[in-house]
Coordinates of all heavy atoms in Angstrom, one line a residue:
M1 N 115.4 96.5 128.0 CA 114.7 97.8 127.9 C 114.2 98.0 126.5 O 115.0 97.7 125.5 CB 115.6 98.9 128.4 CG 115.0 100.3 128.3 SD 115.6 101.2 129.7 CE 114.6 102.6 129.5
K2 N 113.1 98.6 126.3 CA 112.5 98.9 125.0 C 113.0 100.2 124.5 O 113.1 101.2 125.2 CB 111.0 98.9 125.0 CG 110.4 97.6 125.4 CD 108.9 97.8 125.2 CE 108.2 97.8 126.6 NZ 106.8 97.9 126.5
Y3 N 113.4 100.3 123.2 CA 113.9 101.5 122.6 C 113.0 101.9 121.4 O 112.9 103.1 121.1 CB 115.3 101.5 122.2 CG 116.2 101.4 123.4 CD1 116.9 100.2 123.7 CD2 116.5 102.5 124.2 CE1 117.7 100.1 124.8 CE2 117.3 102.3 125.3 CZ 117.9 101.1 125.6 OH 118.7 101.0 126.7
K4 N 112.4 100.9 120.7 CA 111.6 101.1 119.6 C 110.4 100.2 119.5 O 110.5 99.1 120.1 CB 112.5 100.9 118.3 CG 113.6 101.9 118.2 CD 114.3 101.8 116.9 CE 115.4 102.9 116.9 NZ 116.1 102.9 115.6
L5 N 109.4 100.6 118.9 CA 108.2 99.8 118.7 C 107.9 99.7 117.2 O 108.2 100.6 116.5 CB 107.0 100.5 119.4 CG 107.1 100.9 120.9 CD1 105.9 101.7 121.3 CD2 107.1 99.6 121.7
I6 N 107.4 98.5 116.8 CA 107.0 98.3 115.5 C 105.5 98.4 115.4 O 104.8 97.6 116.0 CB 107.5 97.0 114.9 CG1 109.0 97.0 114.9 CG2 107.0 96.8 113.5 CD1 109.7 95.7 114.5
C7 N 105.0 99.4 114.6 CA 103.5 99.6 114.5 C 103.2 99.6 113.0 O 104.0 100.0 112.1 CB 103.1 100.9 115.1 SG 103.5 101.0 116.9
E8 N 101.9 99.3 112.7 CA 101.4 99.4 111.3 C 100.8 100.8 111.2 O 99.8 101.1 111.9 CB 100.4 98.3 111.0 CG 99.9 98.4 109.6 CD 98.8 97.4 109.3 OE1 99.0 96.2 109.7 OE2 97.7 97.7 108.8
V9 N 101.3 101.6 110.3 CA 100.8 102.9 110.1 C 100.1 103.0 108.8 O 100.7 102.7 107.7 CB 101.9 104.0 110.2 CG1 101.3 105.4 110.0 CG2 102.6 103.9 111.6
S10 N 98.9 103.5 108.7 CA 98.1 103.7 107.5 C 98.2 105.2 107.1 O 98.1 106.1 108.0 CB 96.7 103.3 107.7 OG 96.6 102.0 107.9
F11 N 98.3 105.5 105.9 CA 98.3 106.8 105.3 C 97.1 106.9 104.4 O 97.2 106.6 103.2 CB 99.6 107.1 104.6 CG 100.8 107.0 105.4 CD1 101.6 105.8 105.4 CD2 101.3 108.0 106.2 CE1 102.7 105.7 106.2 CE2 102.4 107.9 107.0 CZ 103.1 106.7 107.0
P12 N 95.9 107.2 104.9 CA 94.7 107.1 104.1 C 94.7 108.0 102.9 O 94.1 107.6 101.9 CB 93.6 107.6 105.1 CG 94.2 107.3 106.5 CD 95.6 107.5 106.3
Q13 N 95.3 109.1 102.9 CA 95.3 109.9 101.7 C 96.1 109.4 100.5 O 95.9 109.7 99.4 CB 95.7 111.4 102.0 CG 97.2 111.6 102.2 CD 97.5 113.0 102.6 OE1 97.5 113.3 103.8 NE2 97.7 113.9 101.7
F14 N 97.0 108.4 100.8 CA 97.8 107.8 99.8 C 97.3 106.3 99.6 O 97.9 105.6 98.8 CB 99.3 107.8 100.2 CG 99.8 109.2 100.3 CD1 100.1 109.6 101.6 CD2 99.9 110.0 99.3 CE1 100.6 110.9 101.8 CE2 100.4 111.3 99.5 CZ 100.8 111.8 100.7
D15 N 96.4 105.8 100.5 CA 95.9 104.5 100.4 C 97.1 103.5 100.6 O 97.2 102.5 99.8 CB 95.1 104.2 99.1 CG 94.2 103.0 99.3 OD1 93.8 102.7 100.4 OD2 94.0 102.3 98.2
I16 N 97.9 103.7 101.6 CA 99.1 102.9 101.8 C 99.2 102.6 103.3 O 98.9 103.4 104.1 CB 100.4 103.6 101.4 CG1 100.4 103.8 99.9 CG2 101.6 102.9 101.9 CD1 101.6 104.6 99.3
S17 N 99.6 101.4 103.6 CA 99.9 101.0 105.0 C 101.3 100.4 105.0 O 101.7 99.7 104.1 CB 99.0 99.9 105.5 OG 97.8 100.5 105.9
M18 N 102.1 100.7 106.1 CA 103.4 100.1 106.2 C 103.8 100.0 107.6 O 103.3 100.6 108.5 CB 104.5 101.0 105.4 CG 104.5 102.4 105.8 SD 105.8 103.4 105.0 CE 105.7 103.0 103.3
D19 N 104.7 99.0 107.9 CA 105.2 98.9 109.2 C 106.3 99.9 109.5 O 107.2 100.1 108.6 CB 105.8 97.5 109.4 CG 104.7 96.4 109.4 OD1 103.6 96.7 109.8 OD2 105.1 95.2 109.2
V20 N 106.2 100.6 110.6 CA 107.1 101.7 110.9 C 107.7 101.4 112.3 O 107.0 101.1 113.2 CB 106.4 103.0 110.9 CG1 107.3 104.2 111.2 CG2 105.8 103.3 109.5
T21 N 109.0 101.7 112.5 CA 109.7 101.6 113.8 C 109.5 103.0 114.4 O 109.9 104.0 113.9 CB 111.1 101.3 113.6 OG1 111.2 100.0 112.9 CG2 111.8 101.1 114.9
I22 N 108.9 103.0 115.6 CA 108.7 104.2 116.3 C 109.5 104.3 117.6 O 109.5 103.3 118.4 CB 107.2 104.3 116.7 CG1 106.3 104.4 115.4 CG2 106.9 105.5 117.6 CD1 104.9 104.4 115.6
P23 N 110.3 105.4 117.8 CA 111.1 105.5 119.0 C 110.2 105.6 120.3 O 109.2 106.3 120.3 CB 111.9 106.8 118.8 CG 111.3 107.5 117.7 CD 110.4 106.5 116.9
Y24 N 110.6 104.8 121.3 CA 109.8 104.6 122.5 C 109.9 105.9 123.4 O 109.0 106.2 124.1 CB 110.4 103.4 123.2 CG 109.7 103.0 124.5 CD1 108.5 102.4 124.5 CD2 110.3 103.2 125.8 CE1 107.8 102.0 125.6 CE2 109.6 102.9 126.9 CZ 108.4 102.3 126.8 OH 107.8 101.9 128.0
N25 N 111.0 106.6 123.4 CA 111.2 107.7 124.3 C 111.1 109.1 123.7 O 111.6 110.1 124.2 CB 112.6 107.6 125.0 CG 113.7 107.6 124.0 OD1 113.5 107.5 122.8 ND2 114.9 107.7 124.5
K26 N 110.4 109.2 122.5 CA 110.2 110.5 121.9 C 108.7 110.9 122.0 O 107.9 110.1 122.3 CB 110.6 110.4 120.4 CG 112.0 110.1 120.1 CD 112.9 111.2 120.5 CE 114.3 110.9 120.1 NZ 115.3 112.0 120.4
S27 N 108.5 112.1 121.7 CA 107.1 112.7 121.8 C 106.3 112.3 120.5 O 106.8 111.9 119.5 CB 107.1 114.2 121.9 OG 107.5 114.8 120.7
I28 N 105.0 112.3 120.7 CA 104.1 112.0 119.5 C 104.3 113.1 118.4 O 104.3 112.7 117.2 CB 102.6 112.1 120.0 CG1 102.3 111.0 121.0 CG2 101.7 111.9 118.8 CD1 102.5 109.6 120.6
Y29 N 104.6 114.3 118.8 CA 105.0 115.3 117.8 C 106.2 114.9 117.0 O 106.2 115.0 115.8 CB 105.3 116.7 118.5 CG 105.7 117.8 117.6 CD1 104.8 118.5 116.8 CD2 107.0 118.1 117.4 CE1 105.2 119.4 115.9 CE2 107.5 119.0 116.5 CZ 106.5 119.7 115.8 OH 106.9 120.7 114.9
Y30 N 107.2 114.4 117.6 CA 108.4 113.9 116.9 C 108.0 112.8 116.0 O 108.5 112.8 114.8 CB 109.4 113.4 118.0 CG 110.7 112.9 117.3 CD1 111.8 113.7 117.1 CD2 110.8 111.5 117.0 CE1 112.9 113.2 116.5 CE2 111.9 111.0 116.4 CZ 113.0 111.8 116.2 OH 114.1 111.3 115.6
V31 N 107.2 111.9 116.4 CA 106.7 110.8 115.5 C 106.0 111.3 114.3 O 106.2 110.8 113.2 CB 105.9 109.8 116.3 CG1 105.3 108.7 115.4 CG2 106.7 109.1 117.4
C32 N 105.1 112.3 114.5 CA 104.4 112.9 113.4 C 105.4 113.5 112.4 O 105.2 113.4 111.2 CB 103.4 113.9 113.9 SG 102.0 113.1 114.6
E33 N 106.4 114.2 112.9 CA 107.4 114.8 112.0 C 108.2 113.8 111.3 O 108.5 113.9 110.1 CB 108.4 115.7 112.8 CG 107.7 117.0 113.4 CD 107.2 117.9 112.3 OE1 108.0 118.2 111.3 OE2 106.1 118.4 112.4
M34 N 108.5 112.7 112.0 CA 109.2 111.5 111.4 C 108.3 110.9 110.3 O 108.8 110.6 109.2 CB 109.5 110.5 112.5 CG 110.2 109.3 112.0 SD 110.4 108.1 113.3 CE 108.8 107.3 113.2
L35 N 107.0 110.8 110.5 CA 106.1 110.3 109.5 C 106.0 111.2 108.3 O 105.9 110.7 107.1 CB 104.7 109.9 110.1 CG 104.8 108.8 111.1 CD1 103.4 108.7 111.8 CD2 105.2 107.5 110.5
N36 N 106.0 112.5 108.5 CA 106.0 113.5 107.4 C 107.2 113.3 106.5 O 107.1 113.3 105.3 CB 105.9 114.9 107.9 CG 104.5 115.3 108.3 OD1 103.6 114.9 107.6 ND2 104.4 116.2 109.3
K37 N 108.4 113.1 107.2 CA 109.6 112.9 106.4 C 109.6 111.6 105.7 O 110.0 111.5 104.5 CB 110.8 112.9 107.4 CG 112.1 112.8 106.7 CD 113.2 113.1 107.6 CE 114.6 113.0 107.1 NZ 114.8 112.7 105.7
L38 N 109.0 110.5 106.3 CA 108.8 109.2 105.6 C 108.0 109.4 104.3 O 108.3 108.8 103.3 CB 108.2 108.2 106.6 CG 108.0 106.9 106.0 CD1 109.1 105.9 106.4 CD2 106.7 106.3 106.5
I39 N 106.9 110.1 104.4 CA 106.1 110.4 103.2 C 106.9 111.0 102.1 O 106.9 110.6 101.0 CB 104.8 111.2 103.6 CG1 103.9 110.4 104.5 CG2 104.1 111.6 102.3 CD1 102.8 111.3 105.1
I40 N 107.6 112.0 102.5 CA 108.4 112.8 101.5 C 109.5 111.9 100.9 O 109.7 111.9 99.7 CB 109.1 114.0 102.1 CG1 108.0 115.0 102.4 CG2 110.1 114.7 101.1 CD1 108.4 116.2 103.3
D41 N 110.2 111.1 101.7 CA 111.3 110.2 101.2 C 110.8 109.0 100.5 O 111.5 108.6 99.5 CB 112.2 109.8 102.4 CG 112.9 110.9 103.0 OD1 113.0 112.0 102.4 OD2 113.4 110.8 104.2
D42 N 109.7 108.4 100.9 CA 109.4 107.0 100.4 C 108.1 107.0 99.6 O 107.9 106.0 98.8 CB 109.3 106.0 101.5 CG 110.6 105.8 102.2 OD1 111.7 106.1 101.6 OD2 110.6 105.2 103.3
I43 N 107.2 107.9 99.8 CA 105.9 107.8 99.1 C 105.7 108.9 98.1 O 105.4 108.5 96.9 CB 104.7 107.9 100.2 CG1 104.9 106.7 101.2 CG2 103.4 107.8 99.5 CD1 103.9 106.8 102.4
M44 N 105.8 110.1 98.4 CA 105.5 111.2 97.5 C 106.4 112.4 97.8 O 106.2 113.1 98.7 CB 104.0 111.6 97.6 CG 103.6 112.7 96.7 SD 101.9 113.1 97.0 CE 101.3 113.0 95.4
P45 N 107.5 112.6 96.9 CA 108.4 113.6 97.1 C 107.9 115.1 97.1 O 108.4 116.0 97.7 CB 109.4 113.4 96.0 CG 109.2 112.1 95.5 CD 107.8 111.7 95.8
T46 N 106.7 115.2 96.5 CA 106.1 116.6 96.4 C 105.1 116.9 97.5 O 104.5 117.9 97.5 CB 105.4 116.7 95.0 OG1 104.4 115.8 94.9 CG2 106.4 116.6 93.9
Y47 N 105.0 116.0 98.5 CA 104.1 116.2 99.6 C 104.5 117.4 100.4 O 105.7 117.6 100.7 CB 104.1 114.9 100.5 CG 103.3 115.0 101.7 CD1 101.9 115.0 101.7 CD2 104.0 115.1 103.0 CE1 101.2 115.1 102.9 CE2 103.2 115.2 104.2 CZ 101.8 115.2 104.1 OH 101.1 115.2 105.2
K48 N 103.5 118.2 100.8 CA 103.7 119.4 101.7 C 103.2 119.0 103.1 O 102.0 118.9 103.2 CB 103.0 120.6 101.1 CG 103.4 121.0 99.7 CD 104.8 121.6 99.8 CE 105.1 122.2 98.4 NZ 106.4 121.9 98.0
P49 N 104.0 118.9 104.1 CA 103.6 118.5 105.4 C 102.6 119.6 106.0 O 102.8 120.8 105.8 CB 104.9 118.5 106.2 CG 106.0 118.3 105.3 CD 105.5 119.0 104.0
K50 N 101.6 119.1 106.7 CA 100.7 119.9 107.4 C 101.1 120.1 108.8 O 101.6 119.2 109.5 CB 99.3 119.3 107.3 CG 98.7 119.1 105.9 CD 97.4 118.5 105.9 CE 97.6 117.0 106.2 NZ 96.4 116.2 106.1
K51 N 100.8 121.3 109.4 CA 101.1 121.6 110.8 C 100.2 120.9 111.7 O 100.5 120.7 112.9 CB 101.2 123.1 111.0 CG 102.3 123.8 110.3 CD 102.5 125.2 110.7 CE 103.6 125.8 109.9 NZ 104.1 127.0 110.4
N52 N 99.0 120.6 111.2 CA 98.0 120.0 112.1 C 97.8 118.5 111.9 O 96.7 118.0 112.1 CB 96.6 120.8 112.0 CG 96.1 120.7 110.5 OD1 96.8 120.3 109.6 ND2 94.9 121.1 110.3
S53 N 98.8 117.8 111.6 CA 98.7 116.4 111.4 C 98.4 115.7 112.7 O 98.8 116.2 113.8 CB 100.1 115.8 110.9 OG 100.4 116.3 109.6
I54 N 97.7 114.6 112.6 CA 97.3 113.8 113.8 C 97.6 112.4 113.7 O 97.6 111.8 112.5 CB 95.8 114.1 114.2 CG1 94.9 113.6 113.1 CG2 95.6 115.5 114.7 CD1 93.4 113.7 113.5
L55 N 97.8 111.7 114.8 CA 98.1 110.3 114.8 C 96.9 109.7 115.6 O 96.6 110.1 116.7 CB 99.4 110.0 115.5 CG 100.0 108.6 115.4 CD1 100.3 108.3 113.9 CD2 101.3 108.5 116.2
I56 N 96.3 108.6 115.0 CA 95.1 108.1 115.6 C 95.3 106.6 115.8 O 95.8 105.9 114.9 CB 93.8 108.3 114.7 CG1 93.6 109.8 114.5 CG2 92.6 107.6 115.2 CD1 92.6 110.2 113.5
N57 N 94.8 106.0 116.9 CA 94.7 104.6 117.1 C 93.5 104.0 116.3 O 92.4 104.5 116.5 CB 94.6 104.2 118.6 CG 94.6 102.8 118.8 OD1 94.0 102.0 118.2 ND2 95.4 102.4 119.9
K58 N 93.8 103.1 115.3 CA 92.7 102.7 114.4 C 91.7 101.8 115.2 O 90.5 101.8 114.8 CB 93.3 101.9 113.3 CG 93.9 102.8 112.2 CD 94.6 102.0 111.1 CE 93.5 101.4 110.2 NZ 94.1 100.8 109.0
R59 N 92.1 101.1 116.2 CA 91.2 100.2 116.9 C 90.2 101.0 117.9 O 89.0 100.7 117.9 CB 91.9 99.2 117.7 CG 91.1 98.1 118.3 CD 91.9 97.0 119.0 NE 92.7 97.5 120.1 CZ 92.2 97.7 121.3 NH1 90.9 97.5 121.6 NH2 93.0 98.1 122.3
T60 N 90.8 101.9 118.6 CA 90.0 102.7 119.6 C 89.5 104.0 119.1 O 88.6 104.6 119.7 CB 90.8 102.9 120.9 OG1 91.9 103.7 120.6 CG2 91.3 101.5 121.5
G61 N 90.1 104.6 118.1 CA 89.8 105.9 117.6 C 90.4 107.0 118.5 O 90.1 108.2 118.3
E62 N 91.3 106.7 119.4 CA 92.0 107.7 120.2 C 92.9 108.5 119.4 O 93.7 108.0 118.6 CB 92.8 106.9 121.3 CG 93.6 107.9 122.2 CD 94.4 107.1 123.2 OE1 94.4 105.9 123.2 OE2 95.1 107.8 124.0
V63 N 92.7 109.9 119.5 CA 93.7 110.8 118.9 C 94.7 111.1 119.9 O 94.4 111.6 121.1 CB 92.9 112.1 118.5 CG1 93.9 113.1 117.9 CG2 91.8 111.8 117.5
Y64 N 96.0 110.9 119.6 CA 97.1 111.1 120.5 C 97.5 112.5 120.7 O 97.6 113.3 119.7 CB 98.3 110.3 120.1 CG 98.0 108.8 120.2 CD1 97.8 108.0 119.1 CD2 98.0 108.2 121.4 CE1 97.6 106.6 119.2 CE2 97.7 106.8 121.5 CZ 97.5 106.1 120.4 OH 97.2 104.7 120.5
D65 N 97.7 112.9 121.9 CA 98.2 114.3 122.3 C 99.6 114.4 121.8 O 100.5 113.6 122.1 CB 98.1 114.5 123.8 CG 98.5 115.8 124.3 OD1 98.9 116.7 123.4 OD2 98.5 116.1 125.5
M66 N 99.9 115.5 121.1 CA 101.2 115.8 120.6 C 102.3 116.0 121.6 O 103.5 115.8 121.4 CB 101.2 117.0 119.7 CG 100.4 116.8 118.4 SD 101.3 115.7 117.4 CE 100.4 115.9 115.9
N67 N 101.9 116.3 122.8 CA 102.9 116.7 123.9 C 103.3 115.5 124.7 O 104.2 115.7 125.5 CB 102.3 117.8 124.8 CG 102.0 119.0 124.0 OD1 102.8 119.4 123.1 ND2 100.8 119.6 124.2
I68 N 102.7 114.3 124.6 CA 103.1 113.2 125.5 C 104.1 112.4 124.8 O 104.3 112.4 123.5 CB 101.9 112.4 125.9 CG1 101.2 111.7 124.7 CG2 100.9 113.2 126.7 CD1 100.2 110.6 125.1
L69 N 104.8 111.6 125.6 CA 105.8 110.7 125.0 C 105.2 109.4 124.6 O 104.1 109.0 125.1 CB 106.9 110.4 126.1 CG 107.7 111.6 126.5 CD1 108.7 111.2 127.6 CD2 108.5 112.3 125.4
V70 N 105.8 108.7 123.7 CA 105.2 107.4 123.2 C 105.0 106.5 124.3 O 103.9 105.8 124.4 CB 106.1 106.8 122.1 CG1 105.6 105.4 121.7 CG2 106.1 107.7 120.8
H71 N 105.9 106.3 125.2 CA 105.8 105.4 126.3 C 104.7 105.7 127.3 O 104.2 104.9 128.1 CB 107.1 105.1 127.0 CG 107.7 106.2 127.8 ND1 107.3 106.4 129.1 CD2 108.6 107.1 127.5 CE1 108.0 107.5 129.5 NE2 108.8 107.9 128.6
Q72 N 104.2 107.0 127.3 CA 103.1 107.4 128.1 C 101.8 107.2 127.5 O 100.7 107.3 128.1 CB 103.2 108.9 128.5 CG 104.5 109.2 129.3 CD 104.7 110.7 129.4 OE1 104.4 111.5 128.5 NE2 105.2 111.1 130.5
S73 N 101.8 106.8 126.2 CA 100.5 106.6 125.4 C 100.2 105.1 125.4 O 100.8 104.3 126.1 CB 100.7 107.1 124.0 OG 101.6 106.2 123.3
T74 N 99.1 104.8 124.7 CA 98.7 103.4 124.6 C 99.3 102.7 123.4 O 99.0 101.6 123.1 CB 97.2 103.3 124.5 OG1 96.8 104.1 123.3 CG2 96.5 103.9 125.7
I75 N 100.3 103.3 122.8 CA 101.0 102.7 121.6 C 101.9 101.6 122.1 O 102.8 101.9 123.0 CB 101.8 103.8 120.8 CG1 100.8 104.8 120.3 CG2 102.6 103.1 119.7 CD1 101.5 106.0 119.6
K76 N 101.8 100.4 121.6 CA 102.6 99.3 122.0 C 103.0 98.6 120.7 O 102.6 99.0 119.6 CB 101.8 98.3 122.8 CG 101.2 98.9 124.1 CD 102.2 99.3 125.1 CE 101.5 99.9 126.3 NZ 102.2 101.1 126.7
N77 N 103.8 97.6 120.7 CA 104.2 96.8 119.5 C 102.9 96.2 118.9 O 102.1 95.7 119.6 CB 105.1 95.6 119.9 CG 106.6 96.0 119.9 OD1 107.0 96.8 119.1 ND2 107.3 95.3 120.8
G78 N 102.8 96.4 117.6 CA 101.7 95.9 116.8 C 100.5 96.8 116.8 O 99.5 96.4 116.2
T79 N 100.5 98.0 117.4 CA 99.4 98.9 117.4 C 99.2 99.4 115.9 O 100.1 99.6 115.2 CB 99.7 100.1 118.3 OG1 99.9 99.7 119.6 CG2 98.5 101.1 118.3
K80 N 97.9 99.4 115.5 CA 97.6 99.9 114.2 C 97.2 101.4 114.3 O 96.3 101.8 115.0 CB 96.4 99.1 113.6 CG 96.8 97.7 113.3 CD 95.8 96.9 112.7 CE 96.3 95.5 112.5 NZ 95.7 94.8 111.4
L81 N 97.9 102.2 113.6 CA 97.8 103.7 113.7 C 97.4 104.2 112.3 O 97.7 103.6 111.3 CB 99.1 104.3 114.1 CG 99.7 103.9 115.4 CD1 101.1 104.4 115.6 CD2 98.8 104.3 116.6
A82 N 96.7 105.4 112.3 CA 96.4 106.1 111.1 C 97.0 107.5 111.2 O 96.9 108.1 112.3 CB 94.9 106.2 110.9
F83 N 97.6 108.0 110.2 CA 98.3 109.3 110.2 C 97.5 110.2 109.2 O 97.5 109.9 108.0 CB 99.7 109.2 109.8 CG 100.5 110.5 109.8 CD1 100.7 111.1 111.0 CD2 101.0 111.0 108.7 CE1 101.4 112.3 111.0 CE2 101.7 112.2 108.7 CZ 101.9 112.9 109.8
Y84 N 96.9 111.3 109.7 CA 96.2 112.2 108.8 C 96.9 113.5 108.8 O 97.4 114.0 109.8 CB 94.8 112.4 109.4 CG 93.9 111.2 109.1 CD1 93.7 110.3 110.1 CD2 93.2 111.1 108.0 CE1 92.9 109.2 109.9 CE2 92.4 110.0 107.8 CZ 92.2 109.1 108.8 OH 91.4 108.0 108.6

């Protein structure tokens, strides 16, 4: 059974990409909050999280709905995502 996915996440405002482990059974909203925390902890401690952050599939341009679970979306191992 899958519990986590490894995806490449780009943070365009910081011009950084990194591989991130994403929980399989959590919501997209949870993943966005997790990415906000990752920015604060690892990239820029003075970053102020936005309430309207979005997660986008870089290949298809699909904007993910915050209310669905990761396993209900098209996110799979190796998916390239952008976080705005």
